[in-house]
Amino acid sequence: QVQLVESGGGLVQPGGSLRLSCAASGISFSRYHMAWYRQAPGKQRELVARITGGGSTNYVDSVKGRFTISRDNAKNTVYLQMNSLKSEDTAVYYCYARLISEYWGQGTQVTVSS
């Protein structure tokens, strides 16, 4: 059974930082392309960052220079380090895994507010 379990969300002030984690089980993690998506209220889900099995990364323009995606294949975990958070980063963040099949985590809420 495949599971993607996110953690690390919460409430943070503008300019603050959070690190999201996504622990995967039931898949050959190192082979999978991993990504973080987010969905704000009333908006479509959007790709935030992705990392290939080989470690290549891509980011949506709005988070470049502030967010960093990384992976630890020994721990079957992908991370999203989020710095200089803005109110517009408020959303539910979802972990995503894809090789042939695709899988989603349950999401973790990130709220940026003073």
CSV table of all heavy atoms in Angstrom, one decimal, residues 68-110:
chain,number,residue,atom,x,y,z
A,68,THR,N,13.1,25.7,-1.4
A,68,THR,CA,14.0,24.7,-1.9
A,68,THR,C,13.4,23.3,-1.7
A,68,THR,O,13.1,23.0,-0.6
A,68,THR,CB,15.3,24.8,-1.2
A,68,THR,OG1,15.9,26.1,-1.4
A,68,THR,CG2,16.3,23.8,-1.8
A,69,ILE,N,13.4,22.5,-2.8
A,69,ILE,CA,12.9,21.2,-2.7
A,69,ILE,C,14.2,20.3,-2.7
A,69,ILE,O,15.2,20.5,-3.3
A,69,ILE,CB,12.0,20.8,-3.9
A,69,ILE,CG1,11.4,19.4,-3.6
A,69,ILE,CG2,12.7,20.9,-5.2
A,69,ILE,CD1,10.3,19.0,-4.6
A,70,SER,N,14.1,19.2,-1.8
A,70,SER,CA,15.2,18.3,-1.7
A,70,SER,C,14.7,16.9,-1.4
A,70,SER,O,13.5,16.8,-1.0
A,70,SER,CB,16.3,18.8,-0.7
A,70,SER,OG,15.7,18.8,0.6
A,71,ARG,N,15.5,15.9,-1.5
A,71,ARG,CA,15.1,14.6,-1.2
A,71,ARG,C,16.2,13.8,-0.5
A,71,ARG,O,17.4,14.1,-0.8
A,71,ARG,CB,14.6,13.8,-2.5
A,71,ARG,CG,15.7,13.6,-3.5
A,71,ARG,CD,15.1,13.1,-4.8
A,71,ARG,NE,14.4,11.8,-4.7
A,71,ARG,CZ,13.5,11.4,-5.5
A,71,ARG,NH1,13.1,12.1,-6.6
A,71,ARG,NH2,12.9,10.2,-5.3
A,72,ASP,N,15.8,12.9,0.3
A,72,ASP,CA,16.8,12.0,1.0
A,72,ASP,C,16.3,10.6,0.7
A,72,ASP,O,15.3,10.1,1.3
A,72,ASP,CB,16.8,12.2,2.5
A,72,ASP,CG,17.8,11.4,3.2
A,72,ASP,OD1,18.2,10.3,2.7
A,72,ASP,OD2,18.2,11.8,4.3
A,73,ASN,N,16.9,10.0,-0.3
A,73,ASN,CA,16.5,8.6,-0.7
A,73,ASN,C,16.7,7.6,0.3
A,73,ASN,O,16.0,6.6,0.3
A,73,ASN,CB,17.2,8.2,-2.0
A,73,ASN,CG,16.7,9.1,-3.2
A,73,ASN,OD1,15.6,9.6,-3.2
A,73,ASN,ND2,17.6,9.2,-4.2
A,74,ALA,N,17.6,7.8,1.2
A,74,ALA,CA,17.8,6.8,2.3
A,74,ALA,C,16.7,6.8,3.3
A,74,ALA,O,16.4,5.8,3.9
A,74,ALA,CB,19.2,7.1,3.0
A,75,LYS,N,16.0,8.0,3.4
A,75,LYS,CA,14.9,8.1,4.3
A,75,LYS,C,13.6,8.1,3.6
A,75,LYS,O,12.5,8.3,4.3
A,75,LYS,CB,15.0,9.4,5.1
A,75,LYS,CG,16.2,9.4,6.0
A,75,LYS,CD,16.3,10.7,6.8
A,75,LYS,CE,17.5,10.7,7.8
A,75,LYS,NZ,17.5,12.0,8.6
A,76,ASN,N,13.6,7.9,2.3
A,76,ASN,CA,12.3,7.9,1.5
A,76,ASN,C,11.5,9.2,1.8
A,76,ASN,O,10.3,9.1,2.0
A,76,ASN,CB,11.5,6.7,1.8
A,76,ASN,CG,12.0,5.4,1.2
A,76,ASN,OD1,13.1,5.4,0.6
A,76,ASN,ND2,11.4,4.3,1.4
A,77,THR,N,12.2,10.3,1.8
A,77,THR,CA,11.5,11.5,2.2
A,77,THR,C,11.9,12.7,1.3
A,77,THR,O,13.1,12.8,0.9
A,77,THR,CB,11.9,11.9,3.7
A,77,THR,OG1,11.5,10.9,4.6
A,77,THR,CG2,11.2,13.2,4.1
A,78,VAL,N,10.9,13.5,1.0
A,78,VAL,CA,11.1,14.7,0.2
A,78,VAL,C,10.8,15.9,1.1
A,78,VAL,O,9.9,15.8,1.9
A,78,VAL,CB,10.3,14.7,-1.1
A,78,VAL,CG1,8.8,14.7,-0.9
A,78,VAL,CG2,10.7,15.9,-2.0
A,79,TYR,N,11.5,17.0,0.9
A,79,TYR,CA,11.3,18.2,1.8
A,79,TYR,C,11.0,19.4,0.9
A,79,TYR,O,11.4,19.5,-0.3
A,79,TYR,CB,12.6,18.4,2.6
A,79,TYR,CG,13.1,17.3,3.4
A,79,TYR,CD1,14.1,16.4,2.9
A,79,TYR,CD2,12.6,17.0,4.7
A,79,TYR,CE1,14.5,15.4,3.7
A,79,TYR,CE2,13.0,16.0,5.4
A,79,TYR,CZ,14.0,15.1,4.9
A,79,TYR,OH,14.4,14.1,5.7
A,80,LEU,N,10.4,20.3,1.6
A,80,LEU,CA,10.2,21.7,0.9
A,80,LEU,C,10.6,22.7,2.0
A,80,LEU,O,9.8,22.9,3.0
A,80,LEU,CB,8.8,21.9,0.4
A,80,LEU,CG,8.6,23.2,-0.3
A,80,LEU,CD1,9.4,23.2,-1.7
A,80,LEU,CD2,7.1,23.4,-0.6
A,81,GLN,N,11.7,23.3,1.9
A,81,GLN,CA,12.1,24.4,2.7
A,81,GLN,C,11.6,25.7,2.2
A,81,GLN,O,11.8,26.1,1.1
A,81,GLN,CB,13.7,24.5,2.8
A,81,GLN,CG,14.2,25.6,3.7
A,81,GLN,CD,13.8,25.4,5.2
A,81,GLN,OE1,14.0,24.3,5.7
A,81,GLN,NE2,13.4,26.5,5.8
A,82,MET,N,10.8,26.4,3.0
A,82,MET,CA,10.1,27.6,2.6
A,82,MET,C,10.6,28.7,3.5
A,82,MET,O,10.4,28.7,4.7
A,82,MET,CB,8.6,27.4,2.7
A,82,MET,CG,8.0,26.2,2.0
A,82,MET,SD,6.2,26.1,2.0
A,82,MET,CE,5.9,25.8,3.7
A,83,ASN,N,11.2,29.7,2.8
A,83,ASN,CA,11.7,30.9,3.5
A,83,ASN,C,11.0,32.1,3.0
A,83,ASN,O,10.4,32.1,1.9
A,83,ASN,CB,13.2,31.0,3.3
A,83,ASN,CG,14.0,29.8,3.9
A,83,ASN,OD1,13.6,29.2,4.8
A,83,ASN,ND2,15.1,29.5,3.2
A,84,SER,N,11.1,33.2,3.8
A,84,SER,CA,10.6,34.5,3.4
A,84,SER,C,9.1,34.3,2.9
A,84,SER,O,8.7,34.8,1.9
A,84,SER,CB,11.4,35.1,2.2
A,84,SER,OG,12.7,35.3,2.6
A,85,LEU,N,8.4,33.6,3.8
A,85,LEU,CA,7.0,33.3,3.5
A,85,LEU,C,6.1,34.6,3.4
A,85,LEU,O,6.3,35.5,4.1
A,85,LEU,CB,6.4,32.3,4.5
A,85,LEU,CG,6.9,30.9,4.2
A,85,LEU,CD1,6.7,30.1,5.5
A,85,LEU,CD2,6.1,30.3,3.1
A,86,LYS,N,5.2,34.5,2.4
A,86,LYS,CA,4.2,35.6,2.2
A,86,LYS,C,2.8,35.1,2.4
A,86,LYS,O,2.5,33.9,2.3
A,86,LYS,CB,4.4,36.1,0.7
A,86,LYS,CG,5.8,36.5,0.3
A,86,LYS,CD,5.9,36.9,-1.1
A,86,LYS,CE,7.3,37.2,-1.6
A,86,LYS,NZ,7.3,37.6,-3.0
A,87,SER,N,1.9,36.1,2.6
A,87,SER,CA,0.5,35.7,2.8
A,87,SER,C,0.0,34.9,1.6
A,87,SER,O,-0.9,34.0,1.8
A,87,SER,CB,-0.3,36.9,3.1
A,87,SER,OG,-0.2,37.8,2.0
A,88,GLU,N,0.4,35.2,0.4
A,88,GLU,CA,0.0,34.5,-0.7
A,88,GLU,C,0.5,33.1,-0.8
A,88,GLU,O,0.1,32.3,-1.7
A,88,GLU,CB,0.3,35.2,-2.0
A,88,GLU,CG,1.8,35.7,-2.2
A,88,GLU,CD,2.0,37.1,-1.7
A,88,GLU,OE1,1.4,37.5,-0.7
A,88,GLU,OE2,2.7,37.8,-2.4
A,89,ASP,N,1.4,32.7,0.1
A,89,ASP,CA,1.8,31.3,0.1
A,89,ASP,C,0.8,30.4,0.9
A,89,ASP,O,1.0,29.2,1.0
A,89,ASP,CB,3.2,31.2,0.8
A,89,ASP,CG,4.3,31.8,-0.1
A,89,ASP,OD1,4.2,31.6,-1.3
A,89,ASP,OD2,5.1,32.5,0.5
A,90,THR,N,-0.2,31.0,1.6
A,90,THR,CA,-1.2,30.3,2.3
A,90,THR,C,-1.9,29.3,1.4
A,90,THR,O,-2.5,29.7,0.4
A,90,THR,CB,-2.1,31.3,3.0
A,90,THR,OG1,-1.4,32.1,4.0
A,90,THR,CG2,-3.3,30.5,3.7
A,91,ALA,N,-1.9,28.1,1.8
A,91,ALA,CA,-2.6,27.0,1.0
A,91,ALA,C,-2.4,25.7,1.7
A,91,ALA,O,-1.7,25.6,2.7
A,91,ALA,CB,-1.9,26.9,-0.4
A,92,VAL,N,-3.1,24.7,1.2
A,92,VAL,CA,-2.9,23.3,1.6
A,92,VAL,C,-1.8,22.8,0.6
A,92,VAL,O,-1.9,22.9,-0.6
A,92,VAL,CB,-4.1,22.4,1.5
A,92,VAL,CG1,-3.8,21.0,1.8
A,92,VAL,CG2,-5.2,23.0,2.4
A,93,TYR,N,-0.7,22.3,1.2
A,93,TYR,CA,0.4,21.8,0.4
A,93,TYR,C,0.3,20.2,0.3
A,93,TYR,O,0.2,19.6,1.3
A,93,TYR,CB,1.7,22.2,1.0
A,93,TYR,CG,2.0,23.7,0.7
A,93,TYR,CD1,1.3,24.7,1.3
A,93,TYR,CD2,3.0,24.0,-0.2
A,93,TYR,CE1,1.5,26.0,1.1
A,93,TYR,CE2,3.3,25.4,-0.4
A,93,TYR,CZ,2.5,26.3,0.2
A,93,TYR,OH,2.8,27.7,-0.1
A,94,TYR,N,0.4,19.7,-0.9
A,94,TYR,CA,0.3,18.3,-1.2
A,94,TYR,C,1.6,17.7,-1.7
A,94,TYR,O,2.2,18.3,-2.6
A,94,TYR,CB,-0.8,18.0,-2.2
A,94,TYR,CG,-2.2,18.4,-1.7
A,94,TYR,CD1,-2.7,19.7,-2.0
A,94,TYR,CD2,-3.0,17.5,-1.1
A,94,TYR,CE1,-3.9,20.1,-1.6
A,94,TYR,CE2,-4.3,17.9,-0.6
A,94,TYR,CZ,-4.7,19.2,-0.9
A,94,TYR,OH,-6.0,19.5,-0.5
A,95,CYS,N,2.0,16.6,-1.3
A,95,CYS,CA,3.1,15.8,-1.8
A,95,CYS,C,2.6,15.0,-2.9
A,95,CYS,O,1.4,14.4,-2.9
A,95,CYS,CB,3.6,15.0,-0.7
A,95,CYS,SG,5.1,14.0,-1.1
A,96,TYR,N,3.4,14.8,-4.0
A,96,TYR,CA,3.0,14.1,-5.2
A,96,TYR,C,4.2,13.2,-5.6
A,96,TYR,O,5.3,13.7,-5.6
A,96,TYR,CB,2.6,15.1,-6.3
A,96,TYR,CG,2.4,14.5,-7.6
A,96,TYR,CD1,1.2,13.9,-8.0
A,96,TYR,CD2,3.4,14.6,-8.6
A,96,TYR,CE1,0.9,13.4,-9.2
A,96,TYR,CE2,3.2,14.1,-9.9
A,96,TYR,CZ,1.9,13.5,-10.2
A,96,TYR,OH,1.7,13.0,-11.4
A,97,ALA,N,3.8,12.0,-6.0
A,97,ALA,CA,4.9,11.1,-6.5
A,97,ALA,C,4.4,10.5,-7.9
A,97,ALA,O,3.2,10.1,-8.0
A,97,ALA,CB,5.1,9.9,-5.5
A,98,ARG,N,5.3,10.4,-8.8
A,98,ARG,CA,5.0,9.9,-10.1
A,98,ARG,C,6.1,9.1,-10.7
A,98,ARG,O,7.3,9.5,-10.7
A,98,ARG,CB,4.6,11.0,-11.1
A,98,ARG,CG,4.2,10.5,-12.5
A,98,ARG,CD,3.9,11.6,-13.4
A,98,ARG,NE,5.0,12.5,-13.7
A,98,ARG,CZ,6.0,12.2,-14.6
A,98,ARG,NH1,5.9,11.1,-15.3
A,98,ARG,NH2,7.0,13.0,-14.8
A,99,LEU,N,5.8,7.9,-11.2
A,99,LEU,CA,6.7,7.2,-12.1
A,99,LEU,C,5.8,6.7,-13.3
A,99,LEU,O,5.7,7.4,-14.3
A,99,LEU,CB,7.3,6.0,-11.4
A,99,LEU,CG,8.4,5.2,-12.1
A,99,LEU,CD1,9.5,6.2,-12.5
A,99,LEU,CD2,9.0,4.1,-11.3
A,100,ILE,N,5.2,5.6,-13.2
A,100,ILE,CA,4.2,5.2,-14.1
A,100,ILE,C,2.8,5.5,-13.5
A,100,ILE,O,2.0,6.2,-14.1
A,100,ILE,CB,4.2,3.7,-14.4
A,100,ILE,CG1,5.6,3.4,-15.1
A,100,ILE,CG2,3.1,3.3,-15.3
A,100,ILE,CD1,5.8,1.9,-15.4
A,101,SER,N,2.6,5.1,-12.3
A,101,SER,CA,1.4,5.5,-11.5
A,101,SER,C,1.8,6.8,-10.8
A,101,SER,O,2.9,7.2,-10.6
A,101,SER,CB,1.1,4.4,-10.5
A,101,SER,OG,0.8,3.2,-11.1
A,102,GLU,N,0.7,7.5,-10.3
A,102,GLU,CA,0.9,8.7,-9.5
A,102,GLU,C,0.1,8.6,-8.2
A,102,GLU,O,-0.9,7.9,-8.1
A,102,GLU,CB,0.5,9.9,-10.3
A,102,GLU,CG,-1.0,9.9,-10.7
A,102,GLU,CD,-1.3,11.2,-11.5
A,102,GLU,OE1,-0.4,11.9,-12.1
A,102,GLU,OE2,-2.5,11.5,-11.5
A,103,TYR,N,0.7,9.3,-7.2
A,103,TYR,CA,0.1,9.2,-5.8
A,103,TYR,C,0.1,10.6,-5.2
A,103,TYR,O,1.0,11.4,-5.5
A,103,TYR,CB,0.9,8.2,-5.0
A,103,TYR,CG,1.0,6.8,-5.6
A,103,TYR,CD1,2.1,6.5,-6.3
A,103,TYR,CD2,0.0,5.9,-5.4
A,103,TYR,CE1,2.2,5.2,-6.8
A,103,TYR,CE2,0.1,4.7,-6.0
A,103,TYR,CZ,1.2,4.3,-6.7
A,103,TYR,OH,1.3,3.1,-7.2
A,104,TRP,N,-0.8,10.8,-4.3
A,104,TRP,CA,-1.0,12.1,-3.6
A,104,TRP,C,-1.0,11.9,-2.1
A,104,TRP,O,-1.5,10.9,-1.6
A,104,TRP,CB,-2.3,12.8,-4.0
A,104,TRP,CG,-2.3,13.3,-5.4
A,104,TRP,CD1,-2.8,12.7,-6.5
A,104,TRP,CD2,-1.9,14.6,-5.9
A,104,TRP,NE1,-2.7,13.4,-7.6
A,104,TRP,CE2,-2.1,14.6,-7.3
A,104,TRP,CE3,-1.3,15.7,-5.2
A,104,TRP,CZ2,-1.8,15.8,-8.0
A,104,TRP,CZ3,-1.0,16.8,-6.0
A,104,TRP,CH2,-1.2,16.8,-7.4
A,105,GLY,N,-0.4,12.8,-1.4
A,105,GLY,CA,-0.6,12.8,0.1
A,105,GLY,C,-1.9,13.5,0.4
A,105,GLY,O,-2.6,13.9,-0.4
A,106,GLN,N,-2.2,13.5,1.7
A,106,GLN,CA,-3.4,14.0,2.2
A,106,GLN,C,-3.4,15.6,2.4
A,106,GLN,O,-4.5,16.2,2.5
A,106,GLN,CB,-3.8,13.4,3.6
A,106,GLN,CG,-3.1,14.0,4.8
A,106,GLN,CD,-1.7,13.7,4.9
A,106,GLN,OE1,-1.1,12.8,4.2
A,106,GLN,NE2,-1.0,14.3,5.9
A,107,GLY,N,-2.3,16.1,2.3
A,107,GLY,CA,-2.1,17.6,2.4
A,107,GLY,C,-1.8,18.1,3.8
A,107,GLY,O,-2.2,17.4,4.8
A,108,THR,N,-1.1,19.2,3.9
A,108,THR,CA,-0.8,19.9,5.1
A,108,THR,C,-1.1,21.4,5.0
A,108,THR,O,-0.7,22.0,4.0
A,108,THR,CB,0.6,19.6,5.6
A,108,THR,OG1,0.8,20.1,6.9
A,108,THR,CG2,1.6,20.1,4.7
A,109,GLN,N,-1.7,22.0,6.0
A,109,GLN,CA,-2.1,23.4,5.9
A,109,GLN,C,-0.9,24.3,6.2
A,109,GLN,O,-0.3,24.1,7.3
A,109,GLN,CB,-3.3,23.7,6.8
A,109,GLN,CG,-3.7,25.1,6.8
A,109,GLN,CD,-4.3,25.6,5.5
A,109,GLN,OE1,-5.2,24.9,5.0
A,109,GLN,NE2,-3.9,26.8,5.0
A,110,VAL,N,-0.7,25.2,5.4
A,110,VAL,CA,0.3,26.3,5.7
A,110,VAL,C,-0.4,27.6,5.7
A,110,VAL,O,-1.1,28.0,4.7
A,110,VAL,CB,1.4,26.3,4.6
A,110,VAL,CG1,2.3,27.6,4.8
A,110,VAL,CG2,2.3,25.1,4.7
